[in-house]
Amino acid sequence: QSYEYDEGSETWPFFVLTMLFVVLVPLSISQIYRLFLDRSNATEYGDPEQEKVQKILEEVNDEFVTEDVRVFRQAYEKSARSNIWSKRNIVLIVGWALVAFLIQRIRENDAIVASATGLFDPYALLGVSPSATDRDIKSAYRKLSVKFHPDKLSKDLGGEERARIEEMYVQISKAYEALTDEITKANYLTYGHPDGPQTVSHGIALPSFLVDRVASPVVILIYAVMLSIVLPYFVTKWWSRTNSFTKKGIHVKTASHFVDRLANFKPSEIVTVDLIVNWLSNAEEFKIIFPNLTAADFEELIHDHIDRTNNSRLKDPKVRFRIVSKCHSLLHGLLDLACGVRNTEIANATLETFKCIVQAVPHTPYRQILQLPNVNKEKFLEGSVDEIYTLGKLFTYEDKEIGKILGIDDEHKLKKTLTVASHIPHLKLIKADFLVPGEPQVTPSSTPHISVKFLVRSAKQKIIPPEKFPESMLEEPQDFEFQKDPFSILESQPPMPYSYAPFFPTKRRNALCCLVALQKDGKLIQTPVVIDKLSLQNLNKDFDKRQVKDLDENFKPEEWSIGTIKIPLGQPAPAETGDAFFRVIIKSTDYFTSDLDFTMTMQVRE
Amino acid sequence: NQALTRRYNSIFKRKEVCIKEW
Amino acid sequence: EISYDTNSKKLSSVGEPTEGLEIALGQVNTLTTALISETNPNFTPQPHEDVSKLIKNLFDSGLKNAQQNKFPEALKNVSLAIEMAQRKRAPWEAFAIQLKELQFMLRHKIDILLVLGRYLEALQDLDMLMNTGLIQPEVLIRKTDALLKLGQLDQARIECERGLTLQPQNAKLKALLMECTRKLADFNG
């Protein structure tokens, strides 16, 4: 009924210590992970070929990045990296200092020390280590009992001394019994003392001054403020922030705007990049960052970025950079929603818009060429006798010719341009199947996935026909591990390196978006699958199509790396046997290149 | 019938978009 | 807010209308105008005989021109026939009949356009046919052809592959696919 308060400061330090540990230990672990183990910003992949490609692209990127972009990137990277004096670090430092202070206080507190030493430790009493055997315990007891036996004591000892030694003897006997006698041992293990349950006191682990008449109104006030102001404030802030954003990371108002545009979209309208940019310009995220600007302003800024002009009335490049860098998540969100309403044309246009924004190139027929650095647009457009739209076509000419076509006179500049051109990954389809792990074919109502085998190649390299690659290079392991998780093969590929994108405000990595549509109605059937791991080592190979004329006996297919993409299907195979036709689209988000767009037959057989 | 007419009438605009794109 | 003009007998909106409202008002006005000018008090969804005759005459003369290899005139007549069908038919006439008529005439118009080398217009009409649900190999063959001639090689291949999923053994589509592949190989160097 009557609770004791912690007058002697025996227990409240432990309480505060526990609270501190609850906060500090997870925080410390996560901070250590972030500082030392987080690999998401890595430029080392453990894959020397991939690092080689990375290095080449980084060098070229650095050469062509403008000063404005460089400054913006530095500021962005600085804020992303953890600062020494960030809030987290300060909390950690102060927290651990408090812990040290409390531990020191506990050690200096005699009352705590006394109650700790009051604990019954049979091993210490017998003078043996906790791992001693029964024989050691017996011999230790025998020695001590001889020393402390009341009958063996000298008659000269005073009453106090005698009492002390007798008490000692009792303790030693108890200790011996606690370790050997069954009943006493049970008592010791259950209650911590061989005599059974000791007195237990219950109290409140808080000093009494907190509840004394003087301090208690203050404590109540603190409680009131915490419960009625501080707690609701933080919970509301957290809740509205969580509620404001969809799973894909875009604002709910932006998402509902996109859904509205998608639902009211007329099939007679042709989807263009301009249309997508117009939809983007109404994003809520932009309004939050720049409340004073209108949708028309945002649209103009994005167009300025794509056309590499500066027509907007807002001349500060930071405004444009923030808007453009936000487009990444907005476009991914729109892509997801477009797949949700099954609109293939809009999904495709979203990906094309992505490329236009990343490369700052408008969606003209010449976009593959215009994404290259140093191109003299006027000379190129008026010059070509033979219509050149693709990098592949460009590389049918000798380097000097290419310089003339692109209007590049400087040899050093031409070399850089050709480096970029030959390091843009192109995909060549080798094989695509519907696979059901453990089955030789697709059976009715099974769950197949799509397995795509392709070659990553440079536009400069000679085309290798798919037949040149033996089945052994394309087949997959059939062991149990593979059947359990057929998608594990994707994890073995290294992450994509940073892209060549000197106009995009932040450093970014290429990704491949995979869309699947039904050929019967031409509509998409599932959300996009984004691939961010792919080996680009083939880009390092010297296989210039202007020099290699024929694929002779010296051609070794094993030297080439085959890329794999696995696309899970969102629905099972049809319940009846027959053929179903699917269109698979695999597009790069960052480059204008030869993407994959092909038809696959699902042969459903018993 | 009206939807059909509207779709038919959008042909001119579509042509212009194609010309601009290509 | 909507206002009604007793002279023209038409509805219009006060202020800036939404797209949906604009379409709805347009449809109501079209219906009203057609109803007012209808002379027969017992009108039915059956197509008007005189309008049908007019359309048929125009269309037939267009076909005759085509047979005589006078394609510009053929195009003019067939286009006129389609215009008549769009303008002169009452909006309450049976949709199924109107659709079939339009699809039939469009197919002939497309063929004439292709002969005349007017590929962009042929493509628009082909897209219209597909939008009305006519997804058939014959339509996709012509669409592939038009896209190839317009230099849209990637799109041509995609349409050709779609045609082949409908009829995997179609010889013309197979030949077109080979042509697409060949042209794309050259396009990509």
Side-chain angles (χ1 to χ4, degrees):
Chain A
Q1 253 181 348
S2 67
Y3 275 103
E4 290 172 9
Y5 287 95
D6 188 22
E7 299 299 337
S9 291
E10 282 180 36
T11 39
W12 73 257
F14 290 99
F15 173 66
V16 177
L17 203 61
T18 312
M19 300 301 288
L20 280 173
F21 277 142
V22 163
V23 170
L24 288 175
V25 170
L27 200 63
S28 307
I29 292 176
S30 102
Q31 193 71 338
I32 289 172
Y33 173 77
R34 220 151 60 106
L35 283 175
F36 299 111
L37 295 172
D38 192 1
R39 306 249 92 217
S40 61
N41 289 329
T43 47
E44 288 128 37
Y45 309 96
D47 183 328
E49 292 290 329
Q50 195 84 335
E51 282 168 27
K52 205 163 145 195
V53 175
Q54 169 75 76
K55 201 155 158 279
I56 293 172
L57 286 172
E58 263 183 358
E59 269 173 25
V60 187
N61 234 331
D62 288 337
E63 232 186 273
F64 292 104
V65 165
T66 62
E67 191 56 36
D68 289 333
V69 173
R70 200 190 303 275
V71 166
F72 185 83
R73 279 187 189 180
Q74 273 176 354
Y76 173 79
E77 268 153 36
K78 206 163 119 192
S79 67
R81 234 184 306 123
S82 55
N83 205 352
I84 292 290
W85 296 116
S86 68
K87 268 194 275 192
R88 265 192 178 209
N89 286 346
I90 292 179
V91 165
L92 281 174
I93 292 170
V94 170
W96 285 110
L98 273 176
V99 166
F101 169 70
L102 278 170
I103 291 179
Q104 189 63 15
R105 225 193 132 149
I106 288 170
R107 290 173 74 190
E108 285 168 2
N109 189 326
D110 293 333
I112 298 178
V113 173
S115 58
T117 50
L119 293 169
F120 188 80
D121 187 357
Y123 296 103
L125 284 167
L126 291 173
V128 295
S129 76
S131 54
T133 61
D134 281 346
R135 275 185 67 193
D136 295 332
I137 294 172
K138 261 205 185 120
S139 71
Y141 174 62
R142 227 177 273 135
K143 284 198 201 108
L144 285 171
S145 63
V146 162
K147 198 165 153 203
F148 288 98
H149 200 281
D151 300 339
K152 299 278 177 19
L153 292 175
S154 150
K155 301 231 172 27
D156 302 329
L157 287 171
E160 253 186 61
E161 196 56 32
R162 191 174 272 272
R164 192 180 66 81
I165 291 176
E166 276 173 7
E167 181 58 36
M168 231 21 241
Y169 179 70
V170 168
Q171 292 283 71
I172 289 166
S173 308
K174 276 197 192 152
Y176 178 65
E177 276 172 20
L179 290 175
T180 48
D181 178 47
E182 284 308 315
I183 300 171
T184 324
K185 202 176 187 179
N187 267 339
Y188 169 62
L189 289 171
T190 320
Y191 300 110
H193 199 283
D195 293 340
Q198 302 293 289
T199 53
V200 176
S201 66
H202 292 268
I204 296 188
L206 288 174
S208 64
F209 76 83
L210 279 181
V211 279
D212 267 349
R213 269 193 237 122
V214 177
S216 65
V218 178
V219 174
I220 292 183
L221 189 65
I222 293 175
Y223 265 120
V225 167
M226 288 289 290
L227 283 174
S228 58
I229 299 174
V230 173
L231 198 64
Y233 170 73
F234 280 110
V235 170
T236 316
K237 210 165 143 203
W238 168 80
W239 178 249
S240 66
R241 200 154 37 93
T242 318
N243 248 6
S244 303
F245 287 86
T246 66
K247 232 174 8 160
K248 267 278 169 174
I250 59 174
H251 199 279
V252 290
K253 281 205 184 133
T254 310
S256 81
H257 163 72
F258 285 158
V259 169
D260 180 69
R261 301 279 97 233
L262 287 165
N264 290 318
F265 182 70
K266 294 196 287 274
S268 64
E269 199 172 347
I270 296 185
V271 197
T272 57
V273 167
D274 287 346
L275 183 70
I276 304 289
V277 170
N278 176 274
W279 289 4
L280 285 179
S281 57
N282 285 297
E284 189 67 17
E285 282 89 338
F286 295 157
K287 291 195 194 108
I288 293 173
I289 307 174
F290 298 110
N292 300 324
L293 300 181
T294 64
D297 287 324
F298 300 129
E299 195 173 352
E300 201 178 20
L301 282 168
I302 299 177
H303 278 299
D304 262 349
H305 167 78
I306 293 178
D307 299 328
R308 302 188 197 173
T309 53
N310 206 351
N311 297 328
S312 164
R313 61 187 175 90
L314 300 134
K315 297 299 179 191
D316 184 6
K318 278 205 286 287
V319 178
R320 197 172 73 220
F321 292 155
R322 287 198 73 180
I323 300 296
V324 169
S325 49
K326 220 13 163 166
C327 287
H328 173 99
S329 54
L330 292 175
L331 284 166
H332 270 297
L334 176 58
L335 182 65
D336 210 55
L337 291 167
C339 292
V341 296
R342 306 190 62 204
N343 195 317
T344 318
E345 288 73 37
I346 293 182
N348 257 329
T350 306
L351 286 167
E352 290 295 311
T353 310
F354 217 133
K355 298 178 201 234
C356 288
I357 290 181
V358 169
Q359 294 295 335
V361 171
H363 202 255
T364 75
Y366 299 101
R367 51 196 186 270
Q368 274 199 35
I369 308 292
L370 293 177
Q371 69 187 330
L372 299 175
N374 294 329
V375 173
N376 186 324
K377 198 164 159 191
E378 289 81 29
K379 271 222 184 110
F380 168 65
L381 288 175
E382 71 188 35
S384 40
V385 172
D386 194 9
E387 287 293 302
I388 300 173
Y389 297 99
T390 60
L391 294 173
K393 189 76 173 175
L394 191 69
F395 274 113
T396 55
Y397 295 90
E398 291 303 319
D399 285 357
K400 273 212 176 63
E401 265 301 304
I402 296 178
K404 282 206 206 106
I405 294 168
L406 299 179
I408 304 173
D409 302 315
D410 186 292
E411 221 183 277
H412 173 80
K413 280 192 183 163
L414 179 64
K415 194 153 168 277
K416 290 291 164 188
T417 305
L418 291 174
T419 306
V420 173
S422 54
H423 280 83
I424 289 177
H426 289 247
L427 304 181
K428 169 108 184 100
L429 179 69
I430 298 178
K431 194 165 103 128
D433 293 302
F434 286 99
L435 293 183
V436 178
E439 302 275 341
Q441 63 196 22
V442 179
T443 50
S445 304
S446 58
T447 32
H449 64 264
I450 297 176
S451 169
V452 184
K453 300 277 179 196
F454 57 94
L455 193 73
V456 173
R457 54 175 282 273
S458 154
K460 192 169 158 186
Q461 290 164 342
K462 184 166 175 58
I463 282 269
I464 303 168
E467 309 84 59
K468 287 286 177 183
F469 292 99
E471 265 305 306
S472 52
M473 282 186 80
L474 304 173
E475 57 187 20
E476 284 168 17
Q478 289 303 317
D479 56 8
F480 183 66
E481 281 301 317
F482 172 73
Q483 283 186 31
K484 222 172 36 162
D485 183 13
F487 296 91
S488 55
I489 198 173
L490 299 176
E491 295 299 316
S492 63
Q493 294 174 135
M496 293 251 213
Y498 288 112
S499 308
Y500 167 77
F503 292 92
F504 197 77
T506 57
K507 260 171 103 166
R508 50 174 299 119
R509 294 177 195 266
N510 191 13
L512 294 174
C513 285
C514 308
L515 308 171
V516 183
L518 215 53
Q519 277 288 31
K520 200 160 69 166
D521 57 7
K523 294 192 201 274
L524 296 171
I525 59 170
Q526 59 189 40
T527 49
V529 174
V530 181
I531 307 285
D532 50 10
K533 287 186 157 66
L534 186 63
S535 169
L536 300 189
Q537 66 179 66
N538 291 343
L539 297 178
N540 292 328
K541 295 186 80 64
D542 185 17
F543 205 61
D544 198 330
K545 62 181 163 196
R546 298 169 290 191
Q547 272 127 37
V548 178
K549 286 302 163 199
D550 290 306
L551 290 176
D552 52 16
E553 319 81 52
N554 293 330
F555 174 70
K556 293 196 186 60
E558 318 81 51
E559 289 174 357
W560 295 80
S561 156
I562 306 281
T564 306
I565 282 180
K566 290 224 183 245
I567 307 171
L569 272 185
Q571 56 195 46
E576 313 84 29
T577 57
D579 288 348
F581 299 96
F582 295 82
R583 176 182 170 196
V584 177
I585 304 170
I586 302 179
K587 279 178 117 94
S588 158
T589 52
D590 286 20
Y591 297 114
F592 291 108
T593 167
S594 47
D595 296 317
L596 294 177
D597 192 335
F598 55 93
T599 305
M600 286 178 74
T601 314
M602 184 195 280
Q603 294 182 316
V604 184
R605 305 281 183 265
E606 290 292 353
Chain B
N1 285 329
Q2 289 296 289
L4 198 61
T5 309
R6 283 196 294 274
R7 174 58 184 87
Y8 187 77
N9 291 335
S10 67
I11 284 181
F12 184 71
K13 187 161 176 238
R14 286 175 64 100
K15 244 177 66 176
E16 292 196 324
V17 173
C18 282
I19 292 171
K20 185 167 173 232
E21 285 286 300
W22 301 342
Chain C
E1 259 192 50
I2 308 171
S3 72
Y4 176 64
D5 182 349
T6 43
N7 285 332
S8 64
K9 305 276 187 281
K10 285 197 181 158
L11 292 171
S12 58
S13 85
V14 179
E16 197 62 36
T18 62
E19 203 170 4
L21 181 63
E22 221 179 311
I23 291 176
L25 289 176
Q27 291 189 171
V28 171
N29 289 336
T30 308
L31 202 53
T32 321
T33 318
L35 276 171
I36 289 168
S37 50
E38 175 59 51
T39 49
N40 178 8
N42 301 322
F43 64 90
T44 66
Q46 275 300 108
H48 272 101
E49 267 226 33
D50 36 351
V51 178
S52 302
K53 230 182 262 176
L54 182 62
I55 294 171
K56 189 163 170 13
N57 284 338
L58 275 169
F59 183 70
D60 285 340
S61 55
L63 277 187
K64 213 164 32 172
N65 289 335
Q67 277 163 0
Q68 294 164 351
N69 288 353
K70 293 191 197 142
F71 291 107
E73 288 87 5
L75 181 64
K76 205 159 65 166
N77 281 324
V78 172
S79 301
L80 214 57
I82 295 177
E83 281 289 312
M84 287 291 123
Q86 287 293 298
R87 291 231 218 96
K88 290 284 201 254
R89 288 225 179 278
W92 58 77
E93 287 178 22
F95 173 69
I97 300 176
Q98 285 211 25
L99 180 64
K100 280 266 163 350
E101 184 184 60
L102 181 64
Q103 285 175 339
F104 179 70
M105 290 200 281
L106 266 181
R107 285 156 83 164
H108 287 274
K109 184 181 170 207
I110 287 165
D111 282 335
I112 300 173
L113 284 168
L114 287 173
V115 166
L116 285 172
R118 291 162 73 149
Y119 302 112
L120 189 56
E121 291 168 58
L123 183 66
Q124 300 313 318
D125 288 342
L126 282 160
D127 272 336
M128 169 117 199
L129 271 188
M130 287 185 73
N131 268 161
T132 61
L134 208 64
I135 304 182
Q136 292 171 355
E138 292 74 36
V139 177
L140 288 163
I141 286 172
R142 285 161 178 74
K143 202 167 168 197
T144 308
D145 186 33
L147 285 164
L148 275 175
K149 299 270 176 24
L150 287 167
Q152 300 302 309
L153 308 176
D154 279 314
Q155 200 58 34
R157 184 182 56 84
I158 290 167
E159 302 293 339
C160 192
E161 283 185 6
R162 190 162 182 207
L164 279 166
T165 66
L166 299 170
Q167 234 178 52
Q169 298 310 315
N170 188 309
K172 186 80 180 111
L173 282 170
K174 286 205 238 181
L176 277 171
L177 185 64
M178 281 184 61
E179 196 187 332
C180 287
T181 316
R182 199 178 43 80
K183 284 206 162 120
L184 274 167
D186 180 58
F187 182 72
N188 284 304

